[in-house]
């Protein structure tokens, strides 16, 4: 093996790691031989590392694991996933699909919707996959590599699956990028546009490819720039036109680059003056290729060089969190935590925290009462609170105190903010509001015997009525006190009106008042009277408004746009229309424009049980409302002329 990976789900994993490290050192276990810079065969001592197991935990019980290794136990699946992760974390993350949102990358990510989180994670995978590229022939034979294909630019799940299908139909091997277009292949795997997008991210291992293959197919250089790369290789080799023609005629278009690699002369491209190439390309072909030339030079020297940051092993804090589930926020010095006693001696106590960390209670922190023996105070397996005095995250050890004086004074965490960053006054107001809400929530829940009564708040009432018809009603408790009720009714889709009902002449706190008043203007004898003569009456008026020929389905801006269009087509005519006001339930806008060059205006129209109210004038129906508007508008215009 090249490396030994260790992971687990408890602090005991750290002991296994230490044991393996000691065995490797004692036995001087070494990895496979390799050739160093001096062409000597050497080997390094085996490295033991703790592996991040976030992918392995998802894999061990998954359907994919059962399909990949049906005879393995879940623990073996877990170990297989650890090994695969150590080989290529990118492949393992890509294989998770939608399950990747289950991994905690950042604190607070659960506050973001899963769809948005998945979109951002997929974007990150796209960036990384296209940075490292995909060996197309390896993807044909290895499902883990194939999982990277959907993240290649220009592909996606459907096109990636189609690509693999066609490659297999063509014999299972791709010899050059042009074959993907169907050149020298029975079936094309993709169209020109898709090929242009993904060609430079799908590479073909030059060492294992056909001898006549083009080495540039193993680079990030796009096929449209192959001629530039070949020209640079020829100039680096100082070949003239005749040499180039002879070489390419004999060995094909990739011969020059193959010759550069064969003679190990890649470093010569550093002597080329790329500015001159860039100037010639811009002058002759009107192409700005300065950045592309740098890429070509880099790829000719080291094809598909690793550009990612160096792989970083887990830090002490990361290992601590992985094996215990505790973070700096949940476990730190000064906190009071439960401890289970495992062993009692005269001068100390050994115990464990719930997360599995070993805890030591030194003699000085055993008790405040020295007149009673320790064994008389505590018992094995007893669980009691202890204050953390010292926490060693590397060795999973902590010192704690059982003294009452210490336990009764836990250290409060200092706010992680600078002075002046926090609005203390707003916090106090929020606390008061929360306290009032808690107190109001502590009142006895009111129950009314009525088929439309629900123990809802306003939000719940709106959710309940969301799928109901216009005019449907919910009677619910009011936050204003026992002498109030709230009636919520659906005005239109997404628009709900909450009516405050004052109860008068109540027999007791829980009964419904014999007189019900709404808005100080309308009086009803009972709830049925209120619903029929108030809510249902307004529902009819809303229906009448929305069925009128002057009503527009859109919002205010859309209605304004309609008026603009109408008056442009009819410059000398005035126009008006109604539309709903979504921000004020029970209100509509009356929008009007007195000619093409006149400004746009809107007046609010209130729905009332007896009809409509415009400019504080009541109107029984739409006909009266329209006539009333015309009269008001005429009077307004006359007043302006005077």
């Amino acid at each position: 093996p090249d490396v030994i990976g260790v992971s687990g789900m408890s602090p005991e994993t750290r002991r296994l790691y230490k044991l393996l490290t000691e065995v490797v050192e004692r036995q001087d276990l070494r990895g496979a031989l390799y050739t160093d810079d001096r062409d000597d065969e050497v080997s390094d001592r085996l490295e033991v590392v703790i592996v991040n197991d976030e992918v392995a935990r998802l894999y061990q019980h998954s359907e994919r694991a059962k399909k990949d290794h049906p005879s393995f136990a879940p623990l073996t699946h877990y170990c297989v996933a650890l090994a695969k992760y150590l080989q290529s974390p990118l492949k393992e993350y890509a294989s998770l699909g939608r399950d990747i949102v289950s991994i905690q990358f950042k604190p607070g990510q659960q506050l973001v919707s899963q769809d948005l989180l998945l979109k951002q994670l997929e974007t990150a995978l796209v960036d990384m996959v296209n940075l490292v590229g995909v060996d197309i022939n390896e993807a044909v034979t290895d499902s883990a590599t194939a999982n990277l294909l959907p993240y290649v630019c220009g592909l996606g799940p459907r096109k990636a699956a189609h690509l693999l299908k066609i490659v297999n139909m063509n014999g299972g091997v791709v010899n050059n990028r042009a074959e993907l277009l169907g050149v020298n292949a029975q079936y094309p795997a993709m169209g020109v546009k898709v090929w242009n997008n993904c060609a430079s991210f799908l590479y073909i291992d030059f060492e294992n490819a056909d001898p006549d293959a083009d080495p540039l197919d193993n680079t990030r250089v796009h096929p449209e720039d192959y001629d530039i790369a070949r020209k640079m290789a020829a100039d680096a080799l100082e070949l003239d036109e005749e040499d180039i023609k002879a070489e390419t005629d004999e060995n094909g278009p990739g011969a020059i680059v193959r010759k550069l690699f064969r003679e190990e002369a890649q470093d010569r491209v550093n002597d080329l003056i790329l500015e001159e190439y860039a100037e010639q390309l811009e002058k002759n072909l009107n192409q700005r290729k300065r950045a592309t030339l740098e890429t070509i030079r880099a790829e000719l020297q080291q094809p598909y060089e690793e550009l990612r940051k160096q792989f970083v092993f887990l830090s002490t804090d990361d290992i601590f969190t992985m094996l215990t589930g505790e973070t700096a926020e949940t476990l730190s010095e000064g906190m009071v935590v439960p401890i289970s006693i495992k062993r009692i001696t005269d001068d100390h106590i050994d115990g464990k925290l719930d997360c599995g960390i070993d805890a030591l209670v030194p003699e000085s922190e055993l008790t405040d009462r020295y007149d009673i023996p320790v064994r008389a105070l505590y018992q094995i397996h007893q669980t009691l609170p202890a204050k953390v005095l010292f926490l060693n995250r590397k060795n999973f050890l902590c010192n704690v105190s059982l003294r009452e004086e210490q336990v009764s004074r836990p250290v409060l965490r200092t706010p992680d903010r600078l002075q002046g960053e926090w609005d203390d006054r707003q916090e106090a107001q929020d606390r008061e509001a929360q306290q009032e809400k808690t107190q109001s929530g502590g009142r006895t829940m009111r129950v009314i015997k009525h088929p439309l009564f629900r123990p809802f708040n306003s939000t719940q009432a709106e959710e309940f009525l969301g799928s109901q018809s216009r005019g449907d009603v919910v009677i619910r408790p009011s936050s204003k006190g026992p002498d109030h009720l709230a009636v919520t009714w659906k005005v239109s889709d997404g628009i709900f009106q909450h009516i405050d009902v004052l109860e008068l002449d109540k027999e007791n706190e829980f009964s419904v008042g014999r007189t019900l008043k709404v808005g100080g203007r309308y009086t009803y004898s009972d709830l049925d009277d209120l619903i029929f003569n108030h809510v249902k009456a307004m529902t009819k008026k809303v229906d009448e408004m929305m069925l009128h020929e002057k009503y527009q389905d859109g919002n205010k801006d859309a209605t304004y746009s309609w008026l603009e269009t109408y008056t442009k087509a009819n410059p000398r005519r005035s126009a008006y229309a109604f539309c709903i006001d979504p921000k004020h339930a029970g209100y509509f806008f009356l929008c009007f424009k007195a000619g093409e060059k006149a400004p746009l205006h809107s007046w609010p129209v209130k729905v009332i049980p007896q009809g409509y109210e415009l400019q504080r004038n009541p109107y029984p129906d739409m006909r009266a409302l329209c006539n009333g508007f015309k009269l008001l508008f005429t009077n307004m215009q006359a007043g302006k002329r005077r």
Side-chain angles (χ1 to χ4, degrees), residues 557-606:
D557 291 337
T559 306
Y560 275 172
S561 177
W562 180 86
L563 291 173
E564 292 275 12
T565 304
Y566 182 87
T567 52
K568 281 183 180 178
N570 304 275
R572 296 186 178 182
R573 296 192 62 179
S574 299
Y576 69 96
F578 299 92
C579 66
I580 199 164
D581 182 354
K583 294 183 179 179
H584 301 91
Y587 281 81
F588 289 82
F589 288 117
L590 197 170
C591 305
F592 57 94
K593 193 172 190 292
E596 181 185 11
K597 297 183 179 180
L600 289 161
H601 293 283
S602 66
W603 289 349
V605 178
K606 181 181 180 181

Side-chain angles (χ1 to χ4, degrees), residues 63 143 179 188 198 200 459 482 484 564 623:
E63 292 299 321
S143 60
E179 282 188 10
C198 71
S200 59
T459 303
H484 285 260
E564 292 275 12
R623 182 178 179 182

Side-chain angles (χ1 to χ4, degrees), residues 188-304:
M190 59 187 67
V192 176
K193 286 187 178 180
V194 176
W195 185 79
N196 279 330
N197 287 331
C198 71
S200 59
F201 307 115
L202 301 175
Y203 66 87
I204 298 155
D205 192 345
F206 175 63
E207 294 180 356
N208 299 327
D210 187 276
D212 296 328
D214 196 327
L216 293 175
D217 286 338
N218 190 34
T219 68
R220 291 184 175 91
V221 180
H222 195 279
E224 69 179 11
D225 297 318
Y226 278 8
D227 288 341
I228 301 175
R230 290 162 184 161
K231 171 63 175 170
M232 290 174 61
D235 290 347
L237 292 170
E238 299 180 356
L239 300 177
D240 56 25
E241 294 294 334
E242 293 181 359
D243 294 334
I244 295 173
K245 187 176 186 305
E247 190 74 31
T248 53
D249 288 347
E250 182 178 353
N251 299 311
I256 303 299
V257 180
R258 277 201 300 272
K259 181 179 177 67
L260 182 75
F261 286 5
R262 187 169 60 249
E263 296 181 5
E264 297 183 355
Q266 295 98 314
D267 290 343
R268 294 187 190 177
V269 296
N270 289 323
D271 299 331
L272 302 177
I273 303 174
L274 299 186
E275 286 76 8
E276 294 181 359
Y277 282 87
E279 289 174 4
Q280 289 296 319
L281 288 170
E282 187 170 1
K283 180 180 178 181
N284 299 330
L285 302 176
N286 197 27
Q287 294 179 350
R288 295 185 176 183
K289 293 280 188 177
R290 184 65 180 84
T292 303
L293 293 171
E294 288 289 354
T295 300
I296 293 173
R297 177 156 66 182
E299 292 298 315
L300 287 176
Q301 294 180 81
Q302 192 167 352
Y304 256 103

Side-chain angles (χ1 to χ4, degrees), residues 346-414:
D346 292 334
D347 58 355
H348 74 277
I349 289 177
D350 293 325
K352 270 190 183 297
L353 304 189
D354 287 344
C355 59
I357 297 175
D358 291 326
L360 172 67
V361 186
E363 184 177 9
S364 59
E365 301 295 336
L366 288 173
T367 179
D368 290 324
R369 300 189 59 183
Y370 296 101
D371 56 328
I372 303 176
V374 174
R375 297 179 188 274
L377 284 172
Y378 306 114
Q379 297 177 350
I380 302 294
H381 304 306
Q382 182 182 0
T383 300
L384 61 164
K387 181 177 179 179
V388 180
L389 302 178
F390 171 74
L391 179 61
N392 186 330
R393 294 176 179 272
K394 183 176 182 180
N395 296 318
F396 296 85
L397 300 172
C398 67
N399 287 2
V400 300
S401 173
L402 297 178
R403 294 170 53 205
E404 182 65 28
E405 181 187 4
Q406 289 278 21
V407 174
S408 62
R409 293 188 295 107
V411 175
L412 299 176
R413 291 186 59 83
T414 56

